[in-house]
Amino acid sequence: MSKPRVIVTRRWPAEVEARLKELYDVQLNTDDRPMTGGELQDALRGADALLPTVSDKITAVVLSAEPLKTKILGNFGVGFNHIDIAAAKGRGLVVTNTPDVLTDCTADLAMTLLLMIARRAGEGERHVRTKAWTGWRPTHMIASKITGKTLGLVGFGRIARAVSTRAHHGFGMKILFHDPYPPPKEAADAVMATQCDTLEEVLEQADFVSLHCPGGQETRHLMNAERLKRMKATAFLINTARGDVVDEQALVAALKSGTIAGAGLDVYESEPRVGDDLLTLDNAVLLPHLGSATRDTRIAMGMRVLENVETFFAGKPPRDRVG
Ligand code: DGY
């Protein structure tokens, strides 16, 4: 029997690519150039499985490719707002993602941003590298204390809970959260978290606000000018979720005017483009979408895609089906 044809849209860890070669008639993307809409459509016409990731815009137009051969989109990543799920369903496609395996590393990165922005680590590093440092002094680069402060989580899913564990048990932080789909009581109790009925309650009380909701139409610009104003002037915003959850223009204005103290960002509205305004602000720490970017986690993500695709080709329901 011939092997299923599988097309991978970006470079994957070598270990996972090797396994793909063993299992499938696979087309890898060795030069890692993002595929165009036309190339994605060709892939949908030619492959049994297409394995995309966040940098691929799988729109309704892309999904209108004819004749459609693909039966499964095995997404590399937990977030899937770059895939039009309704259109994929309409075309009879199964869509899967990679939850769980990236929870810890993404939570670690949210804490990295929180620590960096509060303690002015990016700014301090630039200070040393540009040879501006003249020596220790009691008033130099005074920053904000983290231990014992209040962390507000927007969404209380897997990653938010992992952040709350680190923040509460590691830094003695008080945890607040708002989630329209409330978690089991034990999850909140494990970090003595207080559930708030509204997002505004979280924003008004938190010293750090960390975003952990999905991207997409429902949460687009959730953090707009008005909500940024609800935050304390001394508070910091952390975003490891999706760029479009924050109105970036409103954020730049809030950072410039002192409406909030700072922001730690891993994701951006028009990724990979980062606006010049943000680039010049010292009260922003900017990372290039590194949440899950550790060797262990990226291998685990790839293997999880393989598990989903293998299960599907074995005629069984894949465990991470999202559409
Ligand atoms: C995720 O898994 O959602 C990461 O942000 C990469 O897509």
Side-chain angles (χ1 to χ4, degrees), residues 5 41 55 91 110 131-132 137 140 149 156 183 201 228 232 243 249 287 309:
R5 175 80 172 149
Q41 286 198 316
S55 58
R91 302 247 43 208
K131 303 198 169 162
R137 52 203 192 273
H140 186 220
K149 294 292 174 75
F156 202 60
E201 274 176 67
L228 288 164
K232 296 182 188 177
Q249 257 190 313
L287 295 180
V309 171

Side-chain angles (χ1 to χ4, degrees), residues 86-109:
K89 258 194 191 160
R91 302 247 43 208
L93 284 164
V94 166
V95 184
T96 60
N97 71 341
T98 61
D100 307 318
V101 290
L102 46 69
T103 300
D104 281 329
C105 284
T106 307
D108 291 347
L109 197 92

Side-chain angles (χ1 to χ4, degrees), residues 127 132-142:
H127 194 67
W133 189 31
T134 56
W136 194 92
R137 52 203 192 273
T139 54
H140 186 220
M141 292 201 81
I142 299 306

Side-chain angles (χ1 to χ4, degrees), residues 242-288:
R242 282 293 181 262
D244 59 5
V245 177
V246 178
D247 176 342
E248 215 162 274
Q249 257 190 313
L251 176 63
V252 168
L255 291 170
K256 281 187 174 166
S257 63
T259 302
I260 66 170
L265 307 175
D266 190 41
V267 287
Y268 306 87
E269 255 199 279
S270 309
E271 229 170 278
R273 200 189 62 76
V274 179
D276 286 343
D277 269 341
L278 264 181
L279 294 175
T280 55
L281 286 173
D282 255 338
N283 56 348
V285 168
L286 309 174
L287 295 180

Side-chain angles (χ1 to χ4, degrees), residues 5-323:
R5 175 80 172 149
V6 171
I7 296 183
V8 185
T9 66
R10 300 302 298 261
R11 195 91 213 250
W12 283 17
E15 294 83 341
V16 192
E17 290 192 344
R19 185 77 187 124
L20 275 163
K21 280 189 198 160
E22 283 166 16
L23 292 170
Y24 302 115
D25 167 19
V26 66
Q27 176 184 306
L28 300 174
N29 183 349
T30 46
D31 61 9
D32 206 18
R33 185 181 54 78
M35 289 166 74
T36 63
E39 287 168 333
L40 289 168
Q41 286 198 316
D42 286 342
L44 289 166
R45 289 184 197 106
D48 299 290
L50 177 64
L51 312 187
T53 193
V54 66
S55 58
D56 304 303
K57 305 281 168 263
I58 314 282
T59 60
V61 173
V62 167
L63 287 163
S64 67
E66 288 292 355
L68 180 71
K69 177 169 180 180
T70 299
K71 300 278 179 299
I72 177 167
L73 299 175
N75 185 58
F76 185 103
V78 69
F80 48 86
N81 59 309
H82 54 287
I83 301 175
D84 187 326
I85 296 290
K89 258 194 191 160
R91 302 247 43 208
L93 284 164
V94 166
V95 184
T96 60
N97 71 341
T98 61
D100 307 318
V101 290
L102 46 69
T103 300
D104 281 329
C105 284
T106 307
D108 291 347
L109 197 92
M111 287 307 294
T112 304
L113 286 171
L114 186 156
L115 296 167
M116 283 183 76
I117 190 62
R119 297 303 306 270
R120 301 174 66 177
E123 216 183 318
E125 226 240 353
R126 289 191 289 279
H127 194 67
V128 174
R129 283 182 189 277
T130 55
K131 303 198 169 162
W133 189 31
T134 56
W136 194 92
R137 52 203 192 273
T139 54
H140 186 220
M141 292 201 81
I142 299 306
S144 302
K145 186 172 177 180
I146 296 157
T147 297
K149 294 292 174 75
T150 298
L151 171 63
L153 298 160
V154 179
F156 202 60
R158 284 177 289 255
I159 297 171
R161 291 180 216 170
V163 172
S164 72
T165 303
R166 286 151 177 73
H168 180 70
H169 296 293
F171 294 87
M173 295 178 89
K174 181 178 168 208
I175 310 294
L176 306 174
F177 71 89
H178 171 71
D179 193 321
Y181 308 98
K185 187 175 172 315
E186 311 82 76
D189 288 351
V191 290
M192 294 169 66
T194 305
Q195 180 175 339
C196 297
D197 292 337
T198 64
L199 170 57
E200 281 68 23
E201 274 176 67
V202 172
L203 301 179
E204 281 161 13
Q205 296 177 62
D207 299 304
F208 297 88
V209 172
S210 191
L211 304 178
H212 298 284
C213 51
Q217 261 327 107
E218 263 180 52
T219 55
R220 192 178 140 72
H221 289 187
L222 184 76
M223 290 304 295
N224 54 20
E226 197 189 315
R227 293 220 171 88
L228 288 164
K229 267 197 211 116
R230 294 290 192 114
M231 290 173 62
K232 296 182 188 177
T234 49
F236 298 92
L237 180 72
I238 310 297
N239 191 6
T240 52
R242 282 293 181 262
D244 59 5
V245 177
V246 178
D247 176 342
E248 215 162 274
Q249 257 190 313
L251 176 63
V252 168
L255 291 170
K256 281 187 174 166
S257 63
T259 302
I260 66 170
L265 307 175
D266 190 41
V267 287
Y268 306 87
E269 255 199 279
S270 309
E271 229 170 278
R273 200 189 62 76
V274 179
D276 286 343
D277 269 341
L278 264 181
L279 294 175
T280 55
L281 286 173
D282 255 338
N283 56 348
V285 168
L286 309 174
L287 295 180
H289 204 148
L290 295 179
S292 60
T294 64
R295 189 171 303 105
D296 290 3
T297 289
R298 289 286 163 86
I299 291 172
M301 289 166 74
M303 293 302 182
R304 187 77 170 237
V305 178
L306 287 197
E307 184 196 318
N308 284 318
V309 171
E310 276 185 84
T311 311
F312 177 80
F313 284 138
K316 295 186 212 127
R319 79 157 137 160
D320 303 317
R321 182 168 183 171
V322 292

